[in-house]
């Protein structure tokens, strides 16, 4: 199974901005966005019938980057956040737990497909990032 690549993708899209005080990991809209994208990637990694919408995904990640800049975070702060291995693992764990809570079972690809289909049908953020 491929590792979630979300932080790497986000790091590739980060530019510079001005400073901010609250640690970026504590900004819910950014971390929730990364978790949603991670869930989409995990579904696609485990369901052959579903794939990530790459262009939409890059646009979504660029939107998170832009929002972080609007909130006053510098390129260095954003880079430190996406490069933080502990934070990456934490977000991946949350994404996997949320998928499990929705019925995804590790090693059972059909359950990931069912979760992905439900996310697409409900037009959630996760569902909008896969097809």
């Amino acid at each position: 199974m491929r590792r979630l690549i979300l932080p790497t993708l986000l790091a590739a899209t980060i530019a510079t901005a001005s400073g901010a005080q609250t640690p970026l990991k504590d900004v819910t809209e950014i971390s929730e966005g990364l978790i949603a994208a991670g869930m989409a990637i995990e579904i696609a990694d485990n369901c052959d019938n579903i794939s990530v919408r790459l262009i939409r995904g890059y646009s979504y990640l660029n939107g998170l980057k832009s929002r972080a800049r609007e909130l006053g975070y510098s390129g260095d702060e954003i880079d430190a956040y996406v490069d933080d291995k502990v934070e990456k693992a934490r977000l991946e764990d949350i994404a996997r737990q949320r998928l499990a809570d929705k019925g995804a079972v590790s090693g059972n690809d059909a359950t990931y497909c069912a979760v992905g289909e439900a996310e697409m049908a409900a037009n959630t953020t996760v569902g909008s990032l896969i097809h």
Side-chain angles (χ1 to χ4, degrees), residues 37-83:
M39 289 171 67
I41 292 167
E42 191 76 0
I43 289 167
D45 283 351
N46 287 282
C47 178
D48 291 338
N49 299 327
I50 295 176
S51 59
V52 173
R53 294 176 178 259
L54 290 177
I55 294 172
R56 187 172 290 175
Y58 282 119
S59 177
Y60 181 73
L61 294 175
N62 276 324
L64 291 176
K65 170 195 71 178
S66 293
R67 182 62 181 143
R69 284 190 303 213
E70 287 171 7
L71 293 170
Y73 291 89
S74 70
D76 288 343
E77 289 169 315
I78 297 168
D79 287 343
Y81 177 60
V82 299
D83 292 339

Side-chain angles (χ1 to χ4, degrees), residues 6 27-38 60-61 64 125 129:
L6 182 60
V27 178
T28 302
E29 67 185 290
I30 302 299
S31 59
E32 287 297 321
L34 292 172
I35 291 165
Y60 181 73
L61 294 175
L64 291 176
T125 300
L129 297 172

Side-chain angles (χ1 to χ4, degrees), residues 87-105:
E87 182 63 8
K88 177 183 175 186
R90 184 183 79 82
L91 294 175
E92 289 175 349
D93 288 345
I94 292 169
R96 288 187 181 113
Q97 184 58 55
R98 289 192 186 166
L99 288 170
D101 291 346
K102 292 176 177 282
V105 176

Side-chain angles (χ1 to χ4, degrees), residues 95-119:
R96 288 187 181 113
Q97 184 58 55
R98 289 192 186 166
L99 288 170
D101 291 346
K102 292 176 177 282
V105 176
S106 181
N108 185 338
D109 293 355
T111 61
Y112 284 88
C113 293
V115 171
E117 292 292 338
E119 293 293 312

